[in-house]
Amino acid sequence: MWRLAVFLLGSVQVLAGVQDIWWNLTYVENANPNGLFERRVIGVNDTWPPPPIYVETTDLLVLHVTNSLDVPSTLHHHGMFFNGTPWMDGTLGLSECGIPPGKSFDYLVPVNASGQSGTYWVHSHAKGQYVDGLRAPVVLHRPQELHEYDEEFTVVLGDWYHEEHPVLLKRFINTDNPDGVEPVPDSAIVYFAQGTRYLGPKAGASPSPVTAAVGFNENATLPFEPGKTYRLRIVNTSAFSMFFFWIDGHEMRVIEVDGVDVEESPLDVVSISVGQRYSVLVNARDDSSTNWAIHANMDPEMYDYVPDSLNPNVTASITYNHSIFAPMVDYGPTSAYTLTNDSAFIPIDQIASPAVTKTIELELTLDKMSDGTNRGMFNKVTYNHPLVPALFSELTLGINATAETAYGPSSFVLEYGDVVDLVVKNGDDGDHPFHIHGHNFMIMGRAQDYTSDDPILNPPVVQNQTNPMRRDTVHIPGGEAVTLRFVADNPGAWFFHCHMEWHLESGLAIQLIEAPRQAQALLSSGLTGQDGQDHAGFAPELRQMAEYCEELGLPYSGNAAGHMSKTDLSGWKLGPYPLDDDEKDRDSDAEDSWWWVENWSLCRALEAIRLHGMMACLFLAGLFVVTLGFLVFRLHRNRSLIPQKDKEAGGRNVVLKAKGEGEEYQTLLHGKDKSKGRG
């Protein structure tokens, strides 16, 4: 449905076409996109995958959402700024409490007032629901694009799990997983969209019934015609995995990065981390007799282990010849992968870097904590969702809203107009993709080794850059650092977090409380808060959000813990906390002491009957002591009972020869040494 309306966005009236979309969030049974396993997923309107969204940049998008799940949910439009309407960001615990089961909410996405275009995606930002399928591509299409092409398709990449997210998360954040080994996906999936529909499976395919309308992996194909130029919008919607993408027999030219149009840049292979988007131009071949392979390979270096059952490489195709007998050229996997250097891209819309006024240094680590689980941390602090969404604290605390302590750990208050450098240091061995809400950032510089004094490995940031690359999701390899600069000109509360869902769930995030005074000025009506005070300025949609907080048993006013105080956070459970050096030493000694138990096959047997952890260790220790005592008793008894024999009389079956006065004795130990060193 389309209509023409005047909407008040901030203080500017915008004449816009309105695109209404109705989504009923539902469970869908027996989805099987990879052809390997049927499972329950979260879909829309009883179908999966959720439909692609395609919006003209002159329009306002209104997404009418009904939550028919049995848990609260949200929808976040990844990469959209929501300047002037930060409460529409759709982040559970930061901008809202969530849509309760059975309730509805309208997300207003002011595309026409945003100045944004390009490739984005929408996904749940609640309890990892997008891992279970609640995710879809979003295209904001200009009436006149900056690059010329004949036709466009969207390429959706994702990793796929056979178990549901809550099951995987419980296993991940668990004392039985102190090393923080992330769940490895069961496969990769790739599928294609054009406009508001997905492309169906290629001729001759026999897909699973529930997902039969969409072509996945080897059943997915892009129809090309000789002489045409195609724009491919590539979106990585994974929970964990980075992809390497390329097309056999075709060249690619990058023209867009995370919604930022860039000068054409040729690439053979595009590396694309979770949450990132690229657009590439591809010229069709002149010969239409042969079809060609499209490669979407997950990076196995992301995983602590690779199961034998996992094939990280999936192949779709470009179809010129639609005959089922047409040959397809597949050159196979590449011998080596190279990360895409996103700093080298040149934005078409030139913006010089402003002078920095505030620097926030963030060093990320993943480590075992005081409760025995493994967590993600910035500066040794793991993120805890506040009881009151941070945006609601910002809007209801009045003059106390500028106090950083009111928002709790992992919070940073920014003044309007601050030019902020986020210096993100990856202290982990693995790579991480980091995403900011409400902004693009400038990539000001990278360090190959942020601990080094070598200016080649750790160069100083170059100031006064004329046109640094901008995007909203950046990939940081292990041991490296990146300096990200943005201007605090979007009042609200915004997330900065690792977009590997397992790491976000384990606390690898901060919240940026931006321009509290200006945020409060955005509001236009009054609301009496739970503290009995009149909070000037809750917009109608915020009133509905506040009602949903109440329905879910959550506070919606005051500081992070629901108190009208700068410092009183009582009632809000924080932690866990990192171990100090002495605790780490004791923990390491304990691990060494019990290492032989962990590797003994009997321990595995005990685990199979769910006799876990310390119980197993105590049982085995007791068994060991009893067995050792019994052997000592038998040896002592044998020494006193076995008659003396000379060496000639002793046979091969003599295990122990008792030692008489002035004699020696020998033992014959049969079997192998079972001890192992830690590899």
Side-chain angles (χ1 to χ4, degrees):
M1 177 181 177
W2 295 80
R3 66 182 188 271
L4 195 65
V6 177
F7 276 79
L8 188 65
L9 298 170
S11 59
V12 181
Q13 286 191 346
V14 181
L15 185 67
V18 180
Q19 183 172 351
D20 293 287
I21 297 176
W22 280 266
W23 276 18
N24 184 17
L25 310 184
T26 56
Y27 293 111
V28 179
E29 301 288 345
N30 301 321
N32 188 9
N34 61 4
L36 300 175
F37 188 83
E38 292 184 345
R39 56 154 295 180
R40 185 178 78 163
V41 297
I42 301 177
V44 167
N45 304 333
D46 296 314
T47 64
W48 191 87
I53 295 176
Y54 193 91
V55 184
E56 298 294 331
T57 55
T58 54
D59 293 329
L60 172 74
L61 170 65
V62 182
L63 187 55
H64 307 273
V65 180
T66 297
N67 180 14
S68 294
L69 309 177
D70 54 3
V71 291
S73 189
T74 72
L75 285 176
H76 166 66
H77 291 78
H78 179 110
M80 294 297 296
F81 296 158
F82 293 100
N83 200 313
T85 55
W87 43 86
M88 291 294 173
D89 187 54
T91 305
L92 187 73
L94 197 97
S95 61
E96 62 175 286
C97 296
I99 307 170
K103 300 297 183 178
S104 299
F105 185 77
D106 296 340
Y107 286 100
L108 278 66
V109 188
V111 177
N112 56 311
S114 69
Q116 294 184 266
S117 64
T119 310
Y120 302 85
W121 59 304
V122 60
H123 62 84
S124 173
H125 218 301
K127 303 181 183 300
Q129 291 167 359
Y130 92 80
V131 181
D132 288 332
L134 188 46
R135 59 200 195 198
V138 176
V139 172
L140 308 183
H141 180 257
R142 291 175 184 260
Q144 183 62 49
E145 293 286 353
L146 300 184
H147 297 274
E148 294 185 1
Y149 51 89
D150 299 298
E151 203 169 347
E152 68 176 59
F153 298 101
T154 301
V155 179
V156 184
L157 308 176
D159 51 20
W160 192 248
Y161 292 85
H162 291 165
E163 293 183 284
E164 294 188 23
H165 173 268
V167 176
L168 295 169
L169 183 64
K170 185 176 180 180
R171 193 180 303 149
F172 172 57
I173 302 180
N174 195 297
T175 55
D176 287 338
N177 185 31
D179 293 328
V181 177
E182 300 90 351
V184 176
D186 292 288
S187 75
I189 55 174
V190 56
Y191 49 110
F192 306 126
Q194 187 174 44
T196 58
R197 67 179 184 90
Y198 290 112
L199 274 60
K202 66 182 182 181
S206 300
S208 179
V210 173
T211 48
V214 182
F216 293 95
N217 297 358
E218 69 276 5
N219 293 329
T221 191
L222 292 176
F224 271 26
E225 296 180 20
K228 284 190 174 182
T229 298
Y230 293 89
R231 177 177 185 163
L232 304 185
R233 301 175 181 268
I234 312 165
V235 187
N236 186 350
T237 66
S238 295
F240 187 23
S241 305
M242 179 168 69
F243 275 82
F244 294 93
F245 179 89
W246 74 97
I247 307 172
D248 287 340
H250 295 72
E251 296 180 350
M252 299 185 297
R253 307 185 307 278
V254 175
I255 60 167
E256 178 222 341
V257 179
D258 291 359
V260 177
D261 291 300
V262 299
E263 296 181 6
E264 287 190 20
S265 181
L267 274 182
D268 295 326
V269 178
V270 175
S271 68
I272 179 166
S273 291
V274 180
Q276 292 185 329
R277 294 90 63 206
Y278 286 94
S279 282
V280 298
L281 294 182
V282 180
N283 291 333
R285 298 175 65 90
D286 294 329
D287 180 10
S288 62
S289 62
T290 304
N291 301 326
W292 295 82
I294 297 174
H295 296 275
N297 293 5
M298 297 189 298
D299 180 14
E301 295 296 321
M302 308 290 287
Y303 314 140
D304 285 320
Y305 68 99
V306 179
D308 293 338
S309 60
L310 174 63
N311 178 9
N313 307 330
V314 294
T315 304
S317 63
I318 286 177
T319 297
Y320 292 95
N321 187 331
H322 293 272
S323 168
I324 61 174
F325 302 106
M328 186 177 80
V329 179
D330 183 349
Y331 293 150
T334 185
S335 58
Y337 296 127
T338 302
L339 291 175
T340 299
N341 179 14
D342 54 2
S343 299
F345 296 120
I346 303 173
I348 291 177
D349 183 12
Q350 296 191 14
I351 300 177
S353 63
V356 63
T357 62
K358 184 181 182 70
T359 299
I360 300 173
E361 294 196 3
L362 301 171
E363 183 174 36
L364 77 95
T365 50
L366 303 171
D367 209 346
K368 183 178 178 180
M369 306 292 275
S370 55
D371 66 347
T373 64
N374 190 286
R375 302 287 179 141
M377 296 173 283
F378 276 127
N379 302 339
K380 300 297 183 182
V381 178
T382 192
Y383 177 79
N384 297 103
H385 283 286
L387 301 182
V388 175
L391 178 64
F392 282 62
S393 293
E394 184 179 30
L395 298 177
T396 62
L397 277 171
I399 60 173
N400 289 337
T402 58
E404 207 164 84
T405 54
Y407 303 93
S410 305
S411 303
F412 298 87
V413 172
L414 310 177
E415 293 296 324
Y416 187 83
D418 276 348
V419 179
V420 183
D421 270 1
L422 292 177
V423 183
V424 188
K425 303 172 182 179
N426 184 357
D428 184 41
D429 292 335
D431 298 6
H432 295 264
F434 284 96
H435 171 59
I436 192 170
H437 291 212
H439 291 279
N440 281 335
F441 41 62
M442 297 176 171
I443 302 176
M444 296 297 296
R446 290 181 177 269
Q448 296 179 45
D449 179 359
Y450 69 85
T451 66
S452 175
D453 294 328
D454 186 338
I456 296 177
L457 298 176
N458 189 10
V461 171
V462 177
Q463 303 297 333
N464 302 317
Q465 297 182 38
T466 57
N467 190 26
M469 183 55 205
R470 306 184 301 275
R471 68 182 316 170
D472 59 57
T473 308
V474 65
H475 179 91
I476 309 179
E480 299 192 12
V482 63
T483 299
L484 309 171
R485 186 169 298 180
F486 68 96
V487 179
D489 56 2
N490 191 5
W494 309 106
F495 235 0
F496 178 78
H497 63 92
C498 179
H499 218 296
M500 290 178 177
E501 184 62 24
W502 311 115
H503 296 163
L504 172 57
E505 297 277 2
S506 73
L508 196 48
I510 62 168
Q511 50 191 26
L512 300 167
I513 312 302
E514 188 167 337
R517 295 185 182 89
Q518 288 75 12
Q520 293 173 8
L522 292 172
L523 306 176
S524 57
S525 63
L527 178 74
T528 300
Q530 290 158 311
D531 56 351
Q533 298 186 37
D534 182 48
H535 297 289
F538 265 60
E541 55 268 25
L542 275 171
R543 290 175 177 273
Q544 185 180 20
M545 288 179 168
E547 291 172 2
Y548 286 168
C549 289
E550 281 194 308
E551 184 169 332
L552 293 167
L554 297 170
Y556 61 81
S557 61
N559 65 17
H563 308 302
M564 297 305 293
S565 166
K566 296 180 181 180
T567 56
D568 179 9
L569 300 178
S570 59
W572 178 27
K573 183 180 178 181
L574 299 175
Y577 301 96
L579 302 175
D580 60 31
D581 291 339
D582 290 340
E583 289 172 322
K584 286 183 178 179
D585 290 341
R586 288 194 295 270
D587 189 63
S588 178
D589 291 343
E591 288 181 0
D592 290 339
S593 300
W594 294 109
W595 180 86
W596 64 274
V597 173
E598 294 174 358
N599 287 273
W600 196 6
S601 59
L602 181 57
C603 186
R604 301 305 180 196
L606 291 170
E607 287 184 359
I609 61 172
R610 301 192 181 280
L611 192 58
H612 287 293
M614 187 57 68
M615 290 180 63
C617 294
L618 292 174
F619 177 84
L620 290 171
L623 181 63
F624 175 76
V625 170
V626 172
T627 304
L628 182 62
F630 177 74
L631 290 175
V632 169
F633 169 76
R634 289 296 303 269
L635 289 174
H636 178 74
R637 185 169 180 270
N638 287 341
R639 288 179 61 183
S640 62
L641 296 178
I642 295 178
Q644 293 294 321
K645 298 181 182 180
D646 57 27
K647 294 181 180 179
E648 289 74 22
R652 63 187 298 175
N653 294 325
V654 175
V655 176
L656 181 67
K657 179 181 282 189
K659 184 172 70 172
E661 186 175 346
E663 292 184 317
E664 294 182 354
Y665 70 88
Q666 62 182 174
T667 57
L668 302 176
L669 298 176
H670 299 281
K672 296 181 180 180
D673 182 10
K674 300 291 185 180
S675 64
K676 295 181 181 179
R678 297 193 69 176

